[in-house]
Amino acid sequence: MAEFASDAPAENDEDQLEVCVLGLGYVGLPTALLMARSHGVVGVDVDPERVATLRDGELPFDEPGLAELFDEVAPRFHVTDEVIPADAYVIATPTPLDHAVGVADLAAVRAAAESISPHLTPETLVVVESTVPPGASDQLLASVFVEAGYEPGEYRYAYCPERAIPGDTVAEMVENHRVVGCSDSAAADQIRRLYDFVDGEIHTTDPLTAEAVKLMENTHRDVAIALANEFALMAEQLGIDVHRAIELANEHPRVELMNPGPGVGGHCITTDPKLLGSNVSHDRLLSVARQVNDAMPGHAFRRVQAVIGNRTRARIAVLGAAYKGDVDDTRETPTRLFVQHARNAGHEVRVHDPYVDEFDPTPRPLVEAVTGADCTVVLTDHDAYRELDPERLTPHVERRVVVDTRAVLDRERWCNAGFRVEVLGDGADTDRRPGR
Ligand code: SAJ
C-alpha cells in the first residue's frame, strides 16, 4: 500500500482511511481531492492522458477552488491507472445514456466494480457515486461480486450521489446535504468517516430510495424548466413578455417559476428523467417535459430565421457554446442542435465563447465571430454577455439584429446602439399577438 504513504497525515490517524476513487471526471476528481483532506487517496482513471495531466500537476478542467484544493492535498493524493488495495472504493465513472432508446450504458461502472473485486474484504466499503437507474447499483454489484465468490450481504456498499452544481462544484460538495443509500449500518458509519468533508447533513436510507431521490431531483428541475419554456412559447403567441410575467408570478409566496431558454443541456438533467422512467410505465409527464425542452433549440433557430427572412446562406454569429453560463462544459449543449438547424437551412455559423476552445465550429474571438453577421444570437447566459458593449459589434456586423434567447442583454443599451433586439419569450413588442 505504498501508494497511500502520506507525508502530511490527517489530524487523527485513526480516522484516516485509504481510499481509491475510480473515475477522475467532473464528479470523481473533486470528490477525491476533498476526501484527501483527511484520507490517503489514490485516483484511478482509464484515460492515460488524464492520468498524465494530473501527474504533471495540471487539472483537466476548471472549477472555482479546484486548483487551490489540488495544491492543498497534493501530499495525500496520487494518481494511477491501476486499482490497488484500499479501505474504501468510490466509483465515479460515467453512465452515458443512449438517448434514442433511453437506456444507460453501465459498462464503465461494471468494469470499475470488476477491478475492485480482487481486493474486496468484508470490511471494505464500495461507494457508487455514478448516477444509475433505480435498482442498478444493487443488481450490478451483486452480479459482479457474487460471480467473484462473495455472498450477498458479505460486502458493504453505499449509493452516494453528488448534488453539486457545475460552476460551483467544490463549494456545493462541501455545503450540500447528502442522501446516501447504505447496505447496512456499518456502511453508514463508514460513509460518515469517508465523507467527513461534508458540512451538510448526511441522510441515510436504502440504496433504491437514494437512487430514485437523485433522479427525482433532476427530473423536478427538468419539468420546472419545461413549464417555463412552455410559458415562453405561450407568451410569444399571447403578446406578453414571459420574463416580466414570471417575475410577477414569483411574487406569490408559493410560486417559484424558472427561466425559459434555448433548451436544457448538461449531462444530468437531460439524462436523469429518462433513467427514472426507464423501468416504470408512469412517466408521461417526464417524457413530455423532455420533448418540450428538446424542441427549444429548434424554436430558438426559428426566431433567428424569422429575422433573417428569406435570405439564403446568411451568416449567424452565435454567442455561447457552453450549456449554461460561466462554465466551459459543452455536454448536451443546446448550441449544438441550434448549429445543426442553421446548417441544415444552409447558413454559415460562427461561434464565440469566452470559456470554450473546442467546439464545432471552432470558437473564434468576438470580433471575428460577429464580422459580417446577418444576425447575432445569444445562446448562453455568460456574465460576459450581460455586460457586453454593443458598440464592440456595430462596426463589424452586417445587420444590427440580435436574438437574445436568455434575456441577458441590456435591451435599452442595445436598442440605443441601433440594434433590433428580439427576446425569446417576449411577445409584447412583436406582431405575434392574436388579431394583429
Ligand atoms: N436552465 C434553464 N432555465 C433555468 C435553469 C437552468 O433553461 O431556469 C438550463 C441551463 O441553462 C442548462 C440546464 O438547464 O442548460 C441545466 O442547468 P442547471 O444549472 O439547472 O443544472 P446542472 O445540470 O448544471 O446541474 C444539475 C443540478 N441539479 C439540480 O439543481 C436539481 C445539480 O445540483 C446536480 O448535482 C447536477 O445536475 C448533477 O450532476 O446531477
Side-chain angles (χ1 to χ4, degrees):
M1 286 207 210
E3 298 272 358
F4 286 110
S6 158
D7 31 11
E11 275 176 23
N12 183 349
D13 274 356
E14 272 180 25
D15 282 340
Q16 183 174 325
L17 296 168
E18 294 170 343
V19 188
C20 193
V21 178
L22 293 86
L24 299 174
Y26 290 97
V27 173
L29 182 59
T31 302
L33 296 177
L34 285 165
M35 284 177 175
R37 279 186 168 158
S38 320
H39 308 291
V41 178
V42 165
V44 184
D45 204 287
V46 292
D47 177 1
E49 212 176 301
R50 181 149 298 204
V51 170
T53 304
L54 286 161
R55 278 188 164 158
D56 287 347
E58 306 274 330
L59 286 170
F61 54 87
D62 198 19
E63 271 285 334
L66 197 65
E68 292 81 352
L69 183 60
F70 192 35
D71 287 346
E72 176 196 328
V73 302
R76 283 192 297 277
F77 176 66
H78 302 275
V79 182
T80 164
D81 49 13
E82 205 182 328
V83 175
I84 59 164
D87 301 315
Y89 294 91
V90 179
I91 300 176
T93 51
T95 51
L97 180 83
D98 182 328
H99 284 268
V101 287
V103 177
D105 181 353
L106 302 180
V109 180
R110 178 173 293 280
E114 284 168 353
S115 65
I116 293 166
S117 199
H119 308 292
L120 208 59
T121 74
E123 283 76 39
T124 313
L125 177 69
V126 179
V127 182
V128 178
E129 276 250 10
S130 312
T131 304
V132 294
S137 59
D138 191 22
Q139 284 165 7
L140 190 144
L141 295 185
S143 72
V144 173
F145 295 153
V146 170
E147 197 171 301
Y150 296 90
E151 291 294 322
E154 230 181 15
Y155 52 87
R156 279 181 201 162
Y157 91 95
Y159 179 69
C160 185
E162 51 72 38
R163 286 167 146 179
I165 196 104
D168 201 20
T169 299
V170 177
E172 286 214 355
M173 276 186 173
V174 172
E175 287 158 17
N176 292 355
H177 305 317
R178 289 248 177 178
V179 175
V180 190
C182 300
S183 60
D184 57 18
S185 60
D189 289 344
Q190 247 168 317
I191 278 286
R192 290 182 202 287
R193 274 174 74 190
L194 185 58
Y195 286 80
D196 63 356
F197 63 84
V198 174
D199 283 345
E201 280 175 45
I202 295 186
H203 302 278
T204 55
T205 180
D206 60 278
L208 179 59
T209 303
E211 285 164 337
V213 168
K214 167 71 191 177
L215 300 173
M216 284 162 64
E217 291 165 359
N218 281 346
T219 299
H220 168 265
R221 202 157 168 86
D222 197 38
V223 174
I225 298 169
L227 184 63
N229 284 332
E230 187 94 342
F231 285 163
L233 301 179
M234 287 177 175
E236 288 182 2
Q237 289 186 6
L238 289 171
I240 61 167
D241 174 5
V242 79
H243 298 283
R244 180 67 184 138
I246 287 174
E247 201 173 62
L248 292 170
N250 284 346
E251 291 293 327
H252 188 291
R254 284 174 295 281
V255 173
E256 216 173 320
L257 293 169
M258 298 192 63
N259 296 313
V264 169
H267 170 65
C268 305
I269 295 190
T270 50
T271 303
D272 291 1
K274 291 181 183 165
L275 296 187
L276 184 59
S278 55
N279 293 322
V280 292
S281 55
H282 302 281
D283 67 341
R284 209 145 50 104
L285 181 60
L286 282 56
S287 308
V288 172
R290 281 278 73 240
Q291 284 165 24
V292 169
N293 290 334
D294 281 347
M296 290 311 289
H299 180 70
F301 173 67
R302 282 189 294 279
R303 292 294 308 264
V304 168
Q305 183 67 63
V307 298
I308 288 173
N310 52 15
R311 193 175 281 112
T312 51
R313 304 201 66 75
R315 186 175 283 180
I316 301 170
V318 168
L319 302 188
Y323 81 91
K324 67 173 186 176
D326 301 323
V327 301
D328 62 2
D329 193 337
T330 59
R331 288 177 297 169
E332 311 298 332
T333 178
T335 301
R336 194 162 283 126
L337 275 181
F338 178 93
V339 169
Q340 192 61 58
H341 282 291
R343 282 177 172 163
N344 288 348
H347 303 308
E348 185 201 342
V349 184
R350 292 186 171 194
V351 171
H352 169 266
D353 192 296
Y355 297 94
V356 177
D357 299 326
E358 282 174 35
F359 194 70
D360 176 25
T362 306
R364 300 169 184 245
L366 183 69
V367 167
E368 233 182 81
V370 301
T371 295
D374 295 293
C375 179
T376 301
V377 54
V378 179
L379 291 182
T380 308
D381 47 346
H382 291 311
D383 279 346
Y385 298 147
R386 289 178 210 278
E387 292 144 18
L388 187 61
D389 181 356
E391 299 294 355
R392 287 187 61 199
L393 279 68
T394 40
H396 310 288
V397 294
E398 178 68 23
R399 292 177 73 217
R400 292 184 204 181
V401 183
V402 64
V403 176
D404 182 2
T405 69
R406 299 277 192 173
V408 290
L409 300 183
D410 181 340
R411 194 175 195 152
E412 208 182 311
R413 193 175 179 195
W414 283 71
C415 288
N416 289 343
F419 275 83
R420 171 178 166 196
V421 180
E422 294 268 333
V423 179
L424 188 147
D426 185 357
D429 63 346
T430 71
D431 295 332
R432 281 182 289 278
R433 285 188 199 189
R436 287 200 172 193

